[in-house]
Amino acid sequence: MSSLKESLYSAINVTMPLDLSTQLGRHACVALILRGNSLENLELGYIQRAFSDSDRWSGQLAFPGGKREDSDKTDLDAALRETLEEVGIDLTNPELLGRLNDIQARKAGTMLDFYIRPFVFFTERNFNIVLDKTEVADFFWVPLKEIQNPQRVTTYRLQRENIGLELPAVYLDREPPLWGLSYMMTLNLLEVLAAANK
């Protein structure tokens, strides 16, 4: 194991991640994929969802992943399968660093009976990205230092029914900006990795 991967693995596994499986029923599993040759130049992979009038999350920035299916023996299997299906990245178990905190889904500030389970991976391979165009418009890498750039901090106006919300977000050179659960997972990852820099 490379020294960088060892540092990342140690940082991710300092504490046990929050487990919501005993409190909430339904869930989805996503993959946060890191790459780079030092802590200073790590990049994180995102998808932009396909643009569709029938999808309330049309065009949103997110991580590859989806709901666990009967064919998935574990939550990790679900994250691996969905990542392969959506973007053609065939992650392997040795590339797994660990899990972040489960995060409860919400709608206009109301907590839902649904949670997201984020798995973190580190890869040193190059991939031929193959998008499932029905679900994904793009896959792209963003340097972590850009995500942390204060000049990229912005807000996202969410309009749901009769409610308008101004939510924290970060601008990643495309619209809409990164906000919501994917932004919260990103912040959790940055917080965890900060320990590796100490």
Side-chain angles (χ1 to χ4, degrees):
M1 187 184 293
S2 69
S3 59
L4 174 58
K5 186 174 181 182
E6 283 183 8
S7 296
L8 294 171
Y9 181 87
S10 297
I12 296 290
N13 292 282
V14 167
T15 59
M16 287 287 290
L18 177 65
D19 184 344
L20 295 178
S21 63
T22 58
Q23 304 166 41
L24 303 171
R26 300 176 306 120
H27 68 289
C29 305
V30 299
L32 282 66
I33 310 169
L34 291 164
R35 71 174 186 179
N37 55 27
S38 72
L39 287 171
E40 291 70 38
N41 70 3
L42 286 174
E43 297 179 314
L44 182 59
Y46 291 94
I47 63 169
Q48 183 160 30
R49 292 174 62 95
F51 293 89
S52 169
D53 292 338
S54 61
D55 180 9
R56 62 183 293 211
W57 306 115
S58 173
Q60 301 286 348
L61 305 187
F63 296 108
K67 294 178 183 176
R68 181 170 167 177
E69 297 182 357
D70 292 340
S71 59
D72 300 316
K73 293 181 179 177
T74 65
D75 287 340
L76 176 59
D77 288 340
L80 294 172
R81 175 187 54 76
E82 286 280 352
T83 301
L84 179 60
E85 289 176 0
E86 290 184 352
V87 297
I89 295 180
D90 191 7
L91 294 166
T92 63
N93 280 4
E95 291 172 315
L96 175 67
L97 295 175
R99 286 204 298 113
L100 296 178
N101 291 334
D102 289 346
I103 183 166
Q104 189 170 0
R106 57 211 71 193
K107 179 181 178 183
T110 302
M111 303 302 253
L112 303 177
D113 181 28
F114 186 83
Y115 68 95
I116 310 295
R117 175 156 286 180
F119 290 91
V120 184
F121 299 84
F122 174 72
T123 187
E124 297 173 286
R125 296 182 290 145
N126 290 318
F127 297 97
N128 179 31
I129 303 299
V130 181
L131 303 177
D132 177 351
K133 293 288 191 177
T134 63
E135 293 194 52
V136 179
D138 194 15
F139 177 87
F140 60 102
W141 299 96
V142 181
L144 293 188
K145 59 187 177 186
E146 283 302 316
I147 299 171
Q148 295 171 294
N149 182 347
Q151 294 181 325
R152 291 186 172 274
V153 173
T154 183
T155 56
Y156 176 73
R157 180 161 180 79
L158 177 66
Q159 191 68 41
R160 287 279 185 261
E161 287 85 39
N162 297 323
I163 302 172
L165 299 172
E166 292 279 344
L167 301 172
V170 60
Y171 180 64
L172 300 182
D173 297 328
R174 58 188 68 211
E175 292 293 345
L178 177 69
W179 67 282
L181 297 183
S182 296
Y183 185 37
M184 294 170 71
M185 285 184 270
T186 299
L187 292 178
N188 185 202
L189 176 65
L190 293 173
E191 181 183 340
V192 167
L193 293 184
N197 279 315
K198 292 180 179 177

